[in-house]
Amino acid sequence: MIKYSLREFAELVGIFSIVAGLMLVAYELQQNSQLMRAQVFNDRSSQGIEVFLAVAESRELSEIDAKLTQAGFPNDPTGYSELSAVQKRQYMWLLRADRFRLENILYQQVIGVMEYDEGHLRGAHNLVKRYDAVGSNGAPFEGHSPTRRLDRLIGEVEEMYGLRD
């Protein structure tokens, strides 16, 4: 039979408490880190969304949407070329706001803060298609792909949920 002194028992309890405490701190740091990343991304997206929607929300935007829908946009990209210069600019602000919103949602899904939602993924694919249609009408994107981050997030979500070949 093994005998432990009170001092040895207290040391074992102390070591166990320290290890358990460190494990709890590590777990909490991991959770906080993930939530902080989500919050930072969410804040960035929210700020962009607020600015872009303030520009985009108007009666005129409904007219733009109606014109594009009647023209079969984005499947038929020529409808975009029929918009006035101001309408094109308003539509680009709307696309940017929608891109920020969808990037935020897909990012939340990738880091596991938000569960998978098929509708958001479908919306993201549709948004890429709208950007492609606008770009095919000569819209300048200043030498970069405005959907690069969105494309990456779409791929990550699809890979996470086994939706990619």
Side-chain angles (χ1 to χ4, degrees):
M1 178 182 230
I2 300 176
K3 291 187 176 183
Y4 290 105
S5 69
L6 185 57
R7 180 175 168 225
E8 291 171 327
F9 182 73
E11 285 177 0
L12 284 174
V13 169
I15 290 170
F16 176 76
S17 297
I18 290 170
V19 169
L22 288 173
M23 289 173 40
L24 181 61
V25 168
Y27 175 76
E28 288 178 3
L29 284 173
Q30 178 188 13
Q31 295 293 68
N32 287 339
S33 173
Q34 188 177 37
L35 290 174
M36 176 143 330
R37 284 184 292 145
Q39 186 61 43
V40 167
F41 197 88
N42 189 46
D43 288 347
R44 175 199 166 270
S45 295
S46 294
Q47 291 168 2
I49 290 168
E50 288 175 19
V51 170
F52 301 137
L53 283 181
V55 173
E57 287 181 338
S58 67
R59 191 176 126 251
E60 291 81 15
L61 187 58
S62 294
E63 289 177 23
I64 293 167
D65 182 57
K67 282 182 181 182
L68 292 175
T69 301
Q70 289 171 356
F73 186 84
N75 294 328
D76 180 0
T78 58
Y80 181 78
S81 62
E82 296 171 12
L83 297 177
S84 70
V86 170
Q87 289 174 324
K88 286 178 182 177
R89 194 73 186 140
Q90 286 177 306
Y91 189 67
M92 289 306 297
W93 283 113
L94 177 62
L95 288 181
R96 288 183 76 185
D98 205 22
R99 190 183 82 226
F100 273 74
R101 180 184 69 84
L102 287 167
E103 286 173 352
N104 180 44
I105 290 168
L106 294 182
Y107 182 75
Q108 301 287 336
Q109 290 177 17
V110 166
I111 65 171
V113 175
M114 188 175 172
E115 63 186 42
Y116 170 69
D117 183 331
E118 180 183 335
H120 292 123
L121 189 59
R122 223 180 10 253
H125 277 292
N126 183 273
L127 182 62
V128 169
K129 192 174 184 177
R130 289 189 285 157
Y131 265 103
D132 289 345
V134 167
S136 72
N137 278 285
F141 293 124
E142 298 164 10
H144 74 284
S145 168
T147 61
R148 182 178 46 213
R149 181 184 301 120
L150 184 58
D151 287 328
R152 181 180 49 80
L153 289 167
I154 288 170
E156 288 180 36
V157 169
E158 287 177 342
E159 190 172 308
M160 281 178 64
Y161 295 98
L163 303 171
R164 269 213 167 164
D165 295 330

